Amino acid sequence: MLIYDLDIDQLTSLLKEWNEPAYRAKQIWQGLYQHLYNSPEQFTNLPKSLREKMAEHLTFSPFTVKTYLDSSDGFTRKTLFQLPDNHLIESVLMRYGDPADNPQITAAAPNSENMRGAKNRRTLCISTQAGCAMGCVFCATGQMGFKRHLTSGEIVAQVMYYARMLKDVNESVTNIVFMGMGEPFHNYDNTMEAVDRLNDADGYNFGARRFTISTVGLVPQIRRFADEKRQVNLAISLHAADDEERLAIMPVNKRYKIDDVIKACRYYVEQTGRRVTFEWALISGVNDTPEVAKRLASRLKGLMCHVNAIPLNPTAGYEGRATDRQRAVAFKETLEQAGIPCTIRMRRGIDIQAGCGQLAGSVSSV
Ligand code: SAH
Ligand code: SF4
């Protein structure tokens, strides 16, 4: 049994079964999520007999590290994890925003709002599924198809892995984005359980507002998420302003039309008072013209939102190419003239295919 799969109540009942007092559960919880222990021997405040029992019945890592890659600028690390059933998932750590350690970015955007906000960020991009069933044509994960859902513990363990690594250098994770492999709202319950576990004030205590969930636009789940009134940020992968154009690159549009997605987003804003982010992979000649930007602006009119545009990260299975900088800036300007705020994101870790070709989360403004 993977220890990260248990919530505090389940851990408490397990210890009860083992005839241990309830406070032991709390000690284990704190060891796991505050001290970041990942083996029974580290729990020196527990009796030896209990540590042995933990070693016998519980696992502390759901995966082995198959490989890792550092980007040439040294600020992005991608880790490829192998699950017990041999599926591979990946998580990416992006260190950025600190002007002192990233002169390149500072030079590109010395005074931008984004730069200041991004100072010293350690953003983790994690997976919720092995593969993905949504089939977006431009996406490396979509091209590989669906393997399986991750359990809540497998999601949590990705965070703990990097949290430990950062702790060794006196740093910590500052943001978590669900933009790795998989569609978080297709694996809704496990994803939210992972959020709750990481958010727990007696445990890892990671603030709700520092999570961002990115979805392909599953309407019922957007509404459910809105009803739950979570403080977690919501991002919607839109990528097209017209149903036909969206259907050509995102099969999900057959089920949920753009209008319905945007209606659900309006509902989310009403329920939570929070702004929605729309993600937009800029694909040359496909969705990057001023006409498209105008259509997008009219769809989003009156909605409290923001557009994150990022030049496409090319993948083997799709012939589309990235929009060049000049056109990207024109796209942004057209949106902004129509009153829709837009940020162009810089691709990070391009040399290591960070985020499985999904670099929308790998953010730094240019
Ligand atoms: N399934 C979710 C979250 C994972 S994908 C979703 O689709 O939102 C994270 C982001 O990366 C999404 O916005 C996705 O559209 C984007 N993405 C996928 N492939 C990409 C590529 N090749 N280039 C740029 N962005 C990409
Ligand atoms: Fe799945 Fe997101 Fe990739 Fe689409 S973009 S295939 S939803 S991971």
Side-chain angles (χ1 to χ4, degrees):
M1 192 185 325
L2 175 63
I3 194 159
Y4 299 112
D5 271 324
L6 304 175
D7 63 23
I8 185 73
D9 293 338
Q10 290 165 325
L11 186 61
T12 308
S13 25
L14 179 70
L15 284 153
K16 202 167 164 195
E17 270 172 42
W18 291 356
N19 292 317
E20 294 284 346
Y23 70 87
R24 293 285 183 217
K26 207 155 191 181
Q27 285 177 311
I28 295 175
W29 196 255
Q30 284 171 350
L32 280 177
Y33 294 111
Q34 292 179 4
H35 304 297
L36 311 184
Y37 297 157
N38 65 334
S39 74
E41 310 89 75
Q42 291 172 298
F43 292 78
T44 48
N45 55 342
L46 301 179
K48 192 158 180 274
S49 58
L50 178 54
R51 279 184 269 155
E52 282 168 1
K53 207 150 193 183
M54 286 163 70
E56 192 186 337
H57 296 283
L58 296 168
T59 54
F60 284 74
S61 176
F63 36 57
T64 52
V65 174
K66 175 103 174 151
T67 184
Y68 66 84
L69 291 160
D70 287 323
S71 61
S72 51
D73 62 11
F75 294 106
T76 305
R77 167 167 298 197
K78 175 164 98 167
T79 307
L80 196 62
F81 297 109
Q82 183 161 22
L83 298 163
D85 52 6
N86 291 332
H87 292 309
L88 298 173
I89 55 163
E90 53 191 48
S91 323
V92 184
L93 170 68
M94 290 160 286
R95 303 169 66 239
Y96 65 88
D98 188 334
D101 66 20
N102 205 334
Q104 243 180 337
I105 291 173
T106 314
N111 298 310
S112 89
E113 204 44 44
N114 205 273
M115 257 324 282
R116 283 197 296 275
K119 196 166 190 276
N120 274 328
R121 275 205 200 175
R122 302 291 178 260
T123 298
L124 205 54
C125 176
I126 59 174
S127 296
T128 55
Q129 298 176 321
C132 182
M134 301 297 136
C136 306
V137 298
F138 50 81
C139 170
T141 310
Q143 290 160 16
M144 80 180 64
F146 180 68
K147 311 293 182 198
R148 72 165 169 88
H149 294 305
L150 298 188
T151 68
S152 60
E154 288 167 338
I155 299 171
V156 167
Q158 296 169 60
V159 176
M160 292 299 120
Y161 174 83
Y162 278 105
R164 277 190 294 274
M165 181 188 292
L166 287 172
K167 193 179 182 194
D168 287 346
V169 291
N170 282 324
E171 291 182 2
S172 52
V173 180
T174 63
N175 299 79
I176 296 174
V177 298
F178 290 86
M179 294 185 185
M181 292 170 82
E183 167 50 42
F185 279 180
H186 182 209
N187 188 16
Y188 193 94
D189 292 340
N190 292 347
T191 300
M192 294 310 158
E193 278 172 30
V195 167
D196 290 341
R197 209 155 298 147
L198 293 164
N199 180 228
D200 185 285
D202 298 322
Y204 191 56
N205 197 19
F206 197 86
R209 289 166 184 242
R210 295 192 284 141
F211 290 98
T212 299
I213 293 189
S214 175
T215 175
V216 73
L218 303 183
V219 169
Q221 286 89 328
I222 297 172
R223 290 181 173 271
R224 177 173 171 193
F225 188 71
D227 286 333
E228 290 171 0
K229 295 195 170 47
R230 292 171 178 275
Q231 292 301 299
V232 170
N233 301 302
L234 179 64
I236 309 283
S237 300
L238 204 56
H239 307 310
D242 179 276
D243 280 321
E244 212 173 300
E245 287 170 12
R246 192 166 190 260
L247 186 60
I249 53 174
M250 301 176 73
V252 71
N253 208 75
K254 201 166 183 164
R255 276 209 23 230
Y256 304 114
K257 301 281 175 277
I258 297 178
D259 258 353
D260 297 329
V261 172
I262 291 174
K263 259 190 222 146
C265 291
R266 290 189 196 276
Y267 180 69
Y268 167 83
V269 173
E270 268 164 40
Q271 291 300 301
T272 62
R274 298 181 70 75
R275 174 180 93 155
V276 182
T277 298
F278 290 100
E279 288 162 272
W280 197 275
L282 285 163
I283 311 170
S284 182
V286 173
N287 63 357
D288 63 347
T289 61
E291 293 69 47
V292 174
K294 278 183 200 146
R295 258 189 287 140
L296 175 61
S298 72
R299 288 224 185 234
L300 301 183
K301 209 169 169 201
L303 177 61
M304 190 161 70
C305 69
H306 179 264
V307 173
N308 263 345
I310 178 166
L312 180 81
N313 183 34
T315 53
Y318 178 60
E319 71 281 8
R321 294 211 319 271
T323 294
D324 65 31
R325 196 189 145 91
Q326 202 186 349
R327 275 174 86 99
V329 170
F331 188 84
K332 169 189 159 82
E333 282 170 357
T334 310
L335 278 181
E336 290 191 331
Q337 275 156 19
I340 308 293
C342 174
T343 313
I344 303 169
R345 303 294 184 180
M346 205 172 80
R347 288 177 291 169
R348 288 288 302 276
I350 189 85
D351 53 341
I352 59 166
Q353 303 255 304
C356 201
Q358 302 163 31
L359 291 164
S362 47
V363 290
S364 260
S365 133
V366 288

